[in-house]
Amino acid sequence: MTTNEAAREADWRRATELIRSAGTVALACHVSPDGDALGSMLGLGLALARTGKKVVASFGDRVFAVPRLLRFLPGQSLLVEPSAYPAEPDLMITFDASTMERLGLLAPHAGKAGELVVIDHHVSNTRFGTVHLVDPGAASTTMVVDELVNRLGLPIDREVATCLYAGLVTDTGSFRHSITTPAAHAMAGRLLATGLRPEEIARELWDRSPFAYLRVLGTALGRATLEPDAVGGLGLVWTSVTRADRAAEGLPYDEVEGMIDVVRRVDEAEVAVVLKEDDEGGWNVSTRSKGAVDVARACAALGGGGHSRAAGFSSALSVADTMAALRPLLAPEGSRS
Ligand code: AMP
Ligand code: MN
Ligand code: MN
């Protein structure tokens, strides 16, 4: 065993010991949770709650609401508002958060936790806890949780499996992205064997919207811009969706989170960007690359982060100024000076 493997094994042992001996476990995932963040948290939460432990789970958004498309996930009764979260938890576990800041309002709680177990799969994870289960080779955080649940010897029933599967299909783009490993498919096979309904999960995650979404999508796509000369000549496509666009149709912010999946299909662009204005006037920026550009690096330079082909950041600047800051950072690998 190499030193690294030994250190990783020590982390696994420490994490399982801490969880086994805890009476109460406080769970937190990153703000504006996606299927991987919420699925990994609720999956472990449900598995632990069934052993008789007290489990509280939350995320630190100022306005606390589960995104509409994730309300089908089992285990929602474990959720508490950040205001009801323990101020100094004995044992706190974080999910899919690469930095302490990604915990939003719950970052101070993490800072005061007796033990902080960080469960994640971002290469950029800053190892901000006391114990780290961080596997950049894992397609989703739910893959790390799957191993943890197995090491704890806890059963994975259909509800736990639904949570874990939701994270797996979210982060692999339904097994389409390059991160789709044999291990990801093997895990999916084990989860499917519990009787979960893949077609129902897919429909909840991707195949339903209020009519208002079509209207707002039309507006946003109508102002999409193709810049063939950007990204070292490989092309950039981008658009924005404002709170005024959404207000005109009565569409909540979380409904536009996935708009990047439409924009990124453009053949003429290596990089796709969607700027999404939230209800407070701040901007959340989604970036995607096809492989020639490391968008995680570009987003990290602007205070965000993510994966090499899917990353994001927040911006308080105007759309034009945000794009002016981002554009020069989108250089293809190898062309950077
Ligand atoms: P999104 O475009 O919101 O789907 O985000 C894509 C990926 O970028 C996520 O999986 C996160 O890892 C990362 N990400 C998005 N926003 C941020 C942010 N503000 N800070 C750090 N990472 C982010
Ligand atoms: Mn995530
Ligand atoms: Mn993830």
Side-chain angles (χ1 to χ4, degrees):
M1 211 189 270
T2 65
T3 324
N4 268 348
E5 281 165 3
R8 266 203 305 276
E9 210 37 53
D11 268 337
W12 277 112
R13 249 196 327 274
R14 183 88 185 112
T16 50
E17 280 164 14
L18 285 170
I19 292 169
R20 282 204 185 99
S21 58
T24 302
V25 189
L27 312 179
C29 67
H30 68 67
V31 291
S32 305
D34 50 30
D36 191 31
L38 206 61
S40 56
M41 177 168 78
L42 294 180
L44 183 63
L46 274 176
L48 293 178
R50 289 184 179 146
T51 67
K53 289 189 198 302
K54 185 168 165 11
V55 176
V56 290
S58 190
F59 46 90
D61 284 290
R62 258 189 301 280
V63 180
F64 182 79
V66 174
R68 194 264 308 154
L69 77 171
L70 296 177
R71 285 188 203 140
F72 76 98
L73 286 177
Q76 311 261 332
S77 63
L78 303 175
L79 292 171
V80 300
E81 301 238 357
S83 59
Y85 202 81
E88 297 181 20
D90 291 333
L91 173 59
M92 182 164 166
I93 308 179
T94 69
F95 299 84
D96 206 37
S98 51
T99 64
M100 187 93 98
E101 292 72 56
R102 289 282 283 158
L103 299 173
L105 294 179
L106 294 178
H109 304 251
K112 290 196 181 130
E115 295 281 352
L116 183 64
V117 178
V118 170
I119 304 183
D120 189 26
H121 68 129
H122 289 92
V123 201
S124 57
N125 189 284
T126 56
R127 302 181 72 85
F128 56 91
T130 59
V131 180
H132 303 95
L133 307 180
V134 177
D135 180 2
S140 66
T141 296
T142 63
M143 286 188 75
V144 186
V145 168
D146 178 62
E147 176 163 359
L148 178 59
V149 172
N150 288 324
R151 283 184 182 242
L152 287 166
L154 303 178
I156 295 184
D157 63 15
R158 190 171 62 176
E159 291 200 321
V160 173
T162 296
C163 292
L164 301 186
Y165 187 84
L168 185 62
V169 294
T170 295
D171 275 25
T172 59
S174 299
F175 309 105
R176 287 174 298 168
H177 299 160
S178 58
I179 191 72
T180 305
T181 54
H185 276 290
M187 174 174 155
R190 278 186 284 106
L191 298 179
L192 283 167
T194 66
L196 64 75
R197 302 285 299 273
E199 78 286 14
E200 285 176 9
I201 295 172
R203 181 161 179 79
E204 292 289 346
L205 288 175
W206 300 296
D207 293 339
R208 46 177 296 204
S209 304
F211 180 67
Y213 178 68
L214 293 194
R215 312 266 313 169
V216 173
L217 180 64
T219 304
L221 295 184
R223 67 167 81 96
T225 305
L226 179 65
E227 299 182 15
D229 298 333
V231 193
L234 298 180
L236 168 69
V237 60
W238 66 276
T239 193
S240 59
V241 54
T242 67
R243 58 178 157 169
D245 297 336
R246 291 187 294 102
E249 302 293 340
L251 190 70
Y253 175 80
D254 58 357
E255 299 287 346
V256 304
E257 284 280 23
M259 202 176 279
I260 187 69
D261 286 325
V262 182
V263 177
R264 74 183 171 85
R265 62 185 294 116
V266 170
D267 279 336
E268 295 89 335
E270 161 65 24
V271 174
V273 177
V274 176
L275 301 94
K276 303 166 289 188
E277 188 180 16
D278 65 24
D279 291 336
E280 282 82 48
W283 292 88
N284 295 313
V285 184
S286 289
T287 65
R288 299 291 186 270
S289 101
K290 291 176 184 155
V293 173
D294 182 348
V295 286
R297 191 200 304 244
C299 292
L302 298 172
H307 309 282
S308 60
R309 297 180 183 206
F313 63 97
S314 305
S315 175
L317 304 176
S318 68
V319 168
D321 289 349
T322 301
M323 287 307 296
L326 177 60
R327 219 178 260 107
L329 298 170
L330 298 173
E333 294 287 287
S335 76
R336 212 171 282 107
S337 53

